Amino acid sequence: MALWGGRFSQAADTRFKQFNDSLRIDYRLAEQDIVGSIAWSKALLSVNVINELEQQQLELALNELKLEVMEDPEQILLSDAEDIHSWVETQLIGKVGDLGKKLHTGRSRNDQVATDLKLWCRQQGHQLLRTLDLLLNQLVNVASEHQATVLPGYTHLQRAQPVTFAHWCLAYVEMIERDYSRLEDAVNRLDTCPLGSGALAGTAYPMDREKLARNLGFQRATRNSLDSVSDRDHVMELMSIASISMVHLSRLAEDMIFYNSGESNFIELADTVTSGSSLMPQKKNPDALELIRGKCGRVYGALAGMMMTVKALPLAYNKDMQEDKEGLFDALDSWSDCIEMAALCFEGIKINGERTLEAAKQGYANSTELADYLVAKGIPFREAHHIVGVAVVGAIEKGCALEELSIAELKAFSDVIEEDVYQILTIESCLAKRCALGGVAPEQVAYAVEQAGKRLEERDSTGVKVRPARLTDLDALEGMVAYWAGLGENLPRNRNELVRDIGSFAVSEHHGEVTGCASLYVYDSGLAEIRSLGVEAGWQSQGQGKAIVQHLVEKAREMAIKKVFVLTRVPEFFMKQDFIPTSRSLLPEKVLKDCDQCPRQHACDEVALEVNLQEQVIIKTCVA
């Protein structure tokens, strides 16, 4: 069903329909479109376009649709719908009839798709940050293990000065950390909600757009309706960051391909990231690295295409913008795959330390040290540079290294050279002299490894920080609670309730940002309930929820509470935290009264589970 057919007396040509439709691309926004639609239904309720019962029916149907999509997203592609918005609306009408036709009141596909895309970009951004951290951890770990492994440094692909394998790894740590910083900034910048901007001039209904933004987990609402529907800066910015990062990954790949070659023989890649030849049985090809190098052009091409699409595009929305998603999805998918593959290439890598040391000693890499030695003896650097150049020619003619020349031969180039010259021509001396910050001296490399490890540890999401909630967390709590209530996973709680119950909440935190929350509601019967458990979009499956539940269970134990229970649609999660199924009939009457607020009350699929804290204490005492 088309969403715009009333104006037309003829059906669209099938060739135009195929050219115009975007479902095969934007079906990936299904969950975001449904989440946005739930939030919009609540906004329509707030301005009396629909009543409370209608909103609950819409929310229930949309949540059912979301579960169906999560189970089988490919089902969407079987439809002939124009785009994901028309598919969701058609499915909704199929579930609730004409009520589904009310949902689009005051909303345009322009602000709808802008919102969907920002929700998707925010989630992908968080996931990419974690993927970058995986690569950074691998690089730092390898650097830590190879601080003493000497490696020839290159300029113009000519041996220049000795470095270490750790120092080489840390150079890429710097590059990838800049990528991380750029992405973090971009995710923060795009965290604004366009919904309620209409087609271009705003919605005609006096709804609270800031509240609507919080309900979707955004920091704030956008400020200008024209810009809101036509802004694709976040698309270009993410693709730009991906392009810069892919340049870094391609340089990393090229270095490793060179190091892995038979001519260098500095490293050997694991079998898991290499392939063989269909003809030559001896071959072990670095295909993973070559593909990383090759995909750089693909990502950069997607950025160039998007920049040209937006160039000189008049305000506000134009159909050209439909071209924003295919390149974005492909670029971020490719970038994510390449980051993961780069990290995998360091697993099982073998460093041939003897060969790297031998290569570092070749190529007269200690020439600069000899020039510095002459400078220390009072010879101007330019003159010293010339003297050493002549000495290198002499060594080449003799077929030996500088340090293999006799003192008499060296004095022929400059009479200030004495026996003490040999101690400064060693690899160890070459490295030790580079002792300024950022240099290759052992103490500087060790310091750099330590500092990189600390930076990663500070933002490590595996060690989740959980603390009691504060009133300053109120905006974040309201947004998260509303978001998960919108999905039908929690009961709604208004701001006044959150203020009243702030003492019962705990939050997980990452760099000062609240990433998850839950509350412990205590009943007068000695029972407590975990409520309003939710994790910020993009932080799921990172241990946030588990850490919050463990924190609240421990808090209940300290309060001498006998049992903690929960009503949930994800019992497997709680069963991993020692909760066991129980009967709903055993729960306090006040719990069941709360169910009156739930849009699923007539089709409840929640499971009751509990953990008996007294029994746990008894078991632990017996074991002790």
Side-chain angles (χ1 to χ4, degrees), residues 559-605:
M559 296 169 67
I561 288 170
K562 299 172 184 176
K563 289 183 180 181
V564 177
F565 69 89
V566 66
L567 287 169
T568 180
R569 273 182 288 279
V570 284
E572 300 83 5
F573 168 79
F574 285 94
M575 290 173 76
K576 290 178 182 176
Q577 322 306 321
D578 297 326
F579 282 72
I580 59 173
T582 187
S583 171
R584 290 169 62 92
S585 63
L586 299 176
L587 301 180
E589 185 178 345
K590 289 173 72 175
V591 178
L592 303 180
K593 285 184 178 178
D594 276 347
C595 293
D596 292 340
Q597 303 177 54
C598 181
R600 292 175 178 262
Q601 59 180 300
H602 302 300
C604 183
D605 55 356

Side-chain angles (χ1 to χ4, degrees), residues 132-145 169 173 340 342-348 456:
L132 285 170
D133 262 344
L134 289 175
L135 175 56
L136 286 167
N137 273 290
Q138 282 283 46
L139 285 166
V140 172
N141 289 339
V142 173
S144 180
E145 294 171 7
C169 288
V173 167
E340 289 185 9
L344 186 61
C345 284
F346 282 95
E347 290 185 13
L456 289 171

Side-chain angles (χ1 to χ4, degrees), residues 204-271:
Y205 296 86
M207 55 188 57
D208 184 343
R209 288 193 60 233
E210 291 293 348
K211 182 177 180 180
L212 179 58
R214 290 194 298 271
N215 284 348
L216 285 167
F218 287 105
Q219 288 183 23
R220 63 173 176 84
T222 52
R223 293 187 286 254
N224 182 281
S225 60
L226 273 174
D227 178 62
S228 298
V229 298
S230 59
D231 170 32
R232 293 299 183 271
D233 283 9
H234 48 288
V235 174
M236 292 181 286
E237 191 168 5
L238 289 175
M239 293 165 81
S240 175
I241 295 163
S243 297
I244 295 171
S245 184
M246 284 298 297
V247 169
H248 295 155
L249 294 177
S250 73
R251 297 182 72 181
L252 173 69
E254 174 63 14
D255 274 356
M256 293 180 74
I257 290 167
F258 170 59
Y259 293 167
N260 185 70
S261 67
E263 282 66 29
S264 295
N265 193 27
F266 294 166
I267 66 173
E268 181 183 350
L269 298 169
D271 292 351

Side-chain angles (χ1 to χ4, degrees), residues 128 131-132 135 245 249 334-344:
L128 281 161
T131 309
L132 285 170
L135 175 56
S245 184
L249 294 177
S334 296
W335 183 28
S336 179
D337 290 344
C338 288
I339 299 168
E340 289 185 9
M341 195 52 56
L344 186 61

Side-chain angles (χ1 to χ4, degrees), residues 175-192:
M175 295 185 208
I176 304 303
E177 284 203 291
R178 291 195 294 271
D179 298 335
Y180 187 101
S181 175
R182 276 186 281 266
L183 180 56
E184 199 171 37
D185 287 347
V187 171
N188 181 63
R189 203 161 17 253
L190 67 82
D191 203 8
T192 59

